Amino acid sequence: MPYTSEHKQATRQRIIECARELFNRKGFAEVSIDEIMARAELTRGGFYNHFKTKEDLFVEAIQAYAHNNPADRWEDVELDFSQPAEVIARQLINAYLSRTHLADVDGHCPMVALPSDVARASGKVRLAYQDLVERMVRMFAMGLHDNHNQTAQDQAMAITAMCVGGMVLARTFEDAEFGDLLIKATREMALQLVSGEQDGMPEASFETVVNA
Amino acid sequence: MPYTSEHKQATRQRIIECARELFNRKGFAEVSIDEIMARAELTRGGFYNHFKTKEDLFVEAIQAYAHNNPADRWEDVELDFSQPAEVIARQLINAYLSRTHLADVDGHCPMVALPSDVARASGKVRLAYQDLVERMVRMFAMGLHDNHNQTAQDQAMAITAMCVGGMVLARTFEDAEFGDLLIKATREMALQLVSGEQDGMPEASFETVVNA
DNA sequence: TGTACATCAGTGAACGCGCGTTCACTGATGTAC
DNA sequence: TGTACATCAGTGAACGCGCGTTCACTGATGTAC
């Protein structure tokens, strides 16, 4: 067997990574297979040695993202998994709703870059995307507690919607300053929500209010 | 002058409305001018009597949405503008984060249906989209008050991110049940945020805690 | 160690197709007489 | 009231182009001897 199987795997991974970046920047339909292969320093025809269809590659590109440590990309603040879950949740919010993440179009979370493309794609693609969402929800849920209004799980879903929504909106704006304001406001509210601190009651709200 | 100018205007509006629906359902790149014109019961060639380019039509389709009363589309709950601003904010959340809105793909808010397409489009398109966002932020801001953590404006931006993000995510899911859960959780938290009620402290939180 | 060979990753021309846009035209209409 | 006319909304063929996919091939490589 000429060429090692590592060689083929490495090529495959290179194609996936190039595709991920291009899809992020331009969207699924707007990127051609030619373009992806050229970026991977290959030619058009070879594509079908590695993938059955363009959409199969889309699935792989989304999954690839989940298998790296996403937060590494965006922020100087790395996720420190030795910390308590609540601290990790805060780190994730700070990294996700950051200017660095907004500016790094190639490295965007696919949830931010590709929601419309995914909504129109096949079941396989949508499942891969949903898996990313569920990972984020789980991460937040670990750092939260049930309260009288909502379970930790429900709070986590709402905070996920907030983080993704803030980035999705900021990414569309022509006016970068408005985008920064929106990200900042969203980040602050998300941080309050994981701290159980709202409406002017800092941190351990009960004591603070009673002793005032 | 043969044909009245009303006739031309009516045709133009018909094209815009057909385009809006098709863009919502399939995305900008995936809809052809042929398809839009056929739906408006016209033929391809006539398009350029009305619009300079396909992207110009995209701008008009986004703007058209703002000029209707959006909430009419989705929910039995209509916005009642005689109510106090806080009530309107709650009505908007209930209508926006609803199953009806999720199911009505043709009538989706463009913020939900088209963020990825807009992020990759030209300045004119992005300004039209940003205008929709600003309208929603303004609507929420009227129903909110500054608190010790954030201005009403900042809270409104975060709540807008939450509403749009919840719908954007739910729309991508293959698993409809998970989408419903996410919308419901997001809606509940958004309603709490406009009520200034969090973490198990109903309504006028200070008194409630102190008198407990 | 050196050579002949089989494998298959990668090549690039070709396929059928649909797109956005252009353009010469047609024919329904409102107006002037 | 009736007719001839000018306008321009709408038609449909044609344009050049790029796409996803297929396929016959080539040539770099690991292996057997």
Side-chain angles (χ1 to χ4, degrees):
Chain A
M1 58 202 71
Y3 295 97
T4 60
S5 74
E6 288 78 23
H7 171 89
K8 187 169 186 185
Q9 268 306 307
T11 304
R12 189 185 152 85
Q13 289 309 313
R14 203 166 75 243
I15 297 172
I16 292 173
E17 177 58 19
C18 293
R20 197 193 56 69
E21 288 174 23
L22 286 168
F23 287 153
N24 260 12
R25 205 182 311 153
K26 305 172 68 178
F28 177 71
E30 290 77 7
V31 173
S32 69
I33 288 174
D34 236 23
E35 210 175 345
I36 295 166
M37 294 300 276
R39 175 175 257 246
E41 296 180 298
L42 293 161
T43 55
R44 173 162 53 270
F47 180 82
Y48 294 89
N49 285 340
H50 294 280
F51 307 96
K52 244 177 61 209
T53 64
K54 191 187 176 190
E55 202 169 60
D56 278 4
L57 172 61
F58 195 24
V59 174
E60 302 262 6
I62 292 171
Q63 286 173 343
Y65 193 85
H67 299 142
N68 303 338
N69 184 349
D72 284 358
R73 301 174 192 275
W74 317 313
E75 197 64 339
D76 320 320
V77 181
E78 276 177 41
L79 293 196
D80 177 354
F81 286 99
S82 68
Q83 296 287 317
E86 192 198 311
V87 176
I88 297 172
R90 274 207 224 108
Q91 288 175 339
L92 181 56
I93 289 168
N94 277 317
Y96 205 87
L97 287 163
S98 67
R99 256 186 234 211
T100 327
H101 183 196
L102 184 61
D104 178 18
V105 175
D106 286 356
H108 270 171
C109 172
M111 289 193 277
V112 171
L114 299 164
S116 308
D117 305 76
V118 171
R120 296 165 207 139
S122 74
K124 272 192 291 189
V125 174
R126 298 166 71 169
L127 284 173
Y129 185 97
Q130 188 177 326
D131 181 60
L132 289 184
V133 179
E134 286 176 343
R135 279 163 190 267
M136 193 161 180
V137 170
R138 254 181 269 132
M139 212 153 187
F140 282 132
M142 288 192 305
L144 290 159
H145 310 281
D146 296 358
N147 65 29
H148 290 121
N149 290 308
Q150 291 192 290
T151 62
Q153 167 81 4
D154 282 1
Q155 294 169 58
M157 287 198 277
I159 293 169
T160 300
M162 199 166 197
C163 289
V164 175
M167 288 300 292
V168 164
L169 289 179
R171 204 176 107 101
T172 63
F173 296 153
E174 181 68 359
D175 174 355
E177 204 183 324
F178 187 54
D180 279 344
L181 285 178
L182 189 135
I183 283 185
K184 190 157 167 287
T186 306
R187 184 174 62 232
E188 278 168 13
M189 186 165 281
L191 288 171
Q192 286 167 44
L193 290 172
V194 298
S195 305
E197 168 207 333
Q198 274 103 28
D199 209 12
M201 308 193 181
E203 216 65 18
S205 54
F206 185 81
E207 280 79 14
T208 314
V209 169
V210 168
N211 300 337
Chain B
M1 57 202 69
Y3 296 97
T4 61
S5 74
E6 288 78 24
H7 171 89
K8 187 168 187 187
Q9 269 306 306
T11 303
R12 190 185 151 85
Q13 289 310 312
R14 204 166 74 242
I15 297 172
I16 292 173
E17 178 57 20
C18 293
R20 197 193 56 69
E21 288 173 23
L22 286 168
F23 287 153
N24 260 13
R25 203 181 313 152
K26 306 172 67 178
F28 177 71
E30 290 77 7
V31 173
S32 69
I33 288 174
D34 236 22
E35 209 175 345
I36 295 165
M37 294 300 276
R39 175 174 257 246
E41 297 180 297
L42 293 163
T43 52
R44 172 160 57 269
F47 180 82
Y48 295 89
N49 284 339
H50 294 280
F51 306 96
K52 245 177 60 208
T53 64
K54 191 187 176 190
E55 202 169 60
D56 278 4
L57 172 61
F58 195 24
V59 174
E60 301 263 5
I62 293 171
Q63 286 173 343
Y65 193 84
H67 299 141
N68 303 338
N69 185 348
D72 283 357
R73 301 174 191 273
W74 316 312
E75 197 60 341
D76 319 320
V77 180
E78 275 178 41
L79 293 195
D80 177 354
F81 287 99
S82 68
Q83 295 288 315
E86 193 197 309
V87 176
I88 296 172
R90 275 206 223 109
Q91 289 176 339
L92 182 55
I93 290 169
N94 278 317
Y96 205 88
L97 287 164
S98 68
R99 258 187 231 210
T100 327
H101 183 197
L102 184 61
D104 178 17
V105 175
D106 286 356
H108 270 169
C109 173
M111 289 192 278
V112 170
L114 299 163
S116 309
D117 305 75
V118 171
R120 298 163 205 139
S122 75
K124 269 191 293 186
V125 175
R126 299 165 71 169
L127 284 172
Y129 185 97
Q130 187 176 327
D131 182 59
L132 289 184
V133 179
E134 285 175 345
R135 279 163 191 266
M136 192 161 181
V137 171
R138 254 180 271 132
M139 214 150 184
F140 282 132
M142 287 190 306
L144 291 159
H145 309 283
D146 297 357
N147 66 29
H148 290 120
N149 290 308
Q150 291 192 289
T151 62
Q153 166 83 5
D154 282 1
Q155 295 168 58
M157 287 199 277
I159 292 169
T160 299
M162 198 165 198
C163 289
V164 175
M167 289 299 293
V168 165
L169 289 179
R171 204 176 107 101
T172 63
F173 297 153
E174 180 69 0
D175 174 355
E177 203 184 325
F178 187 55
D180 278 344
L181 285 177
L182 189 135
I183 283 184
K184 189 157 169 286
T186 307
R187 183 175 61 231
E188 278 168 13
M189 186 165 280
L191 288 171
Q192 285 169 44
L193 289 171
V194 298
S195 304
E197 168 208 334
Q198 274 104 30
D199 209 11
M201 308 191 182
E203 216 65 17
S205 56
F206 183 81
E207 280 78 15
T208 312
V209 170
V210 169
N211 299 337

